[in-house]
Amino acid sequence: HTIGARTGLERVTPLMYLEVDGGYAIFASKGGAPTNPDWFHNLLAHPDVSVEVGTATRPVRARVAEGEEREGIWDRQKSRYPNFASYETRTIRRIPVVILERV
């Protein structure tokens, strides 16, 4: 659940995730499109959101992973779901990896 950067309205976006220490990683791949998805911009504007996993809804704070942390998580996701590797070949942008940390 994000808050719209311009509208302030709640948005719900189903996404794949990868469990990481202290939370979840999500990927702004947009199928390899040349621009980041809208939900990514919403998280940058309003990083305190909630996430639904299974039947539980939890508050989280979003931050963009950088450096070795990003590379390790991105490599794990590509090895588990090879389509993510193909997304990377379709775009010149660096696909953001977002960490949703439990608060």
Side-chain angles (χ1 to χ4, degrees):
H1 299 251
T2 62
I3 304 299
R6 289 182 298 232
T7 65
L9 299 174
E10 181 180 31
R11 307 286 185 199
V12 178
T13 307
L15 296 169
M16 291 186 75
Y17 67 91
L18 180 65
E19 288 191 49
V20 296
D21 289 337
Y24 309 95
I26 55 176
F27 309 90
S29 62
K30 199 176 177 182
T35 59
N36 290 322
D38 291 340
W39 63 258
F40 178 73
H41 300 289
N42 293 342
L43 285 177
L44 293 178
H46 303 285
D48 293 315
V49 294
S50 62
V51 62
E52 290 180 47
V53 177
T55 60
T57 301
R58 299 177 179 93
V60 293
R61 178 167 292 128
R63 66 175 176 82
V64 178
E66 300 290 344
E68 290 180 20
E69 178 187 38
R70 184 228 178 252
E71 296 307 316
I73 293 168
W74 180 242
D75 288 345
R76 280 179 50 204
Q77 184 69 359
K78 289 189 302 183
S79 71
R80 289 179 177 210
Y81 300 97
N83 281 344
F84 281 81
S86 70
Y87 301 157
E88 189 173 48
T89 66
R90 295 180 198 162
T91 187
I92 59 170
R93 69 184 172 89
R94 183 179 176 96
I95 295 173
V97 173
V98 178
I99 307 299
L100 304 175
E101 297 176 320
R102 295 182 184 125
V103 293

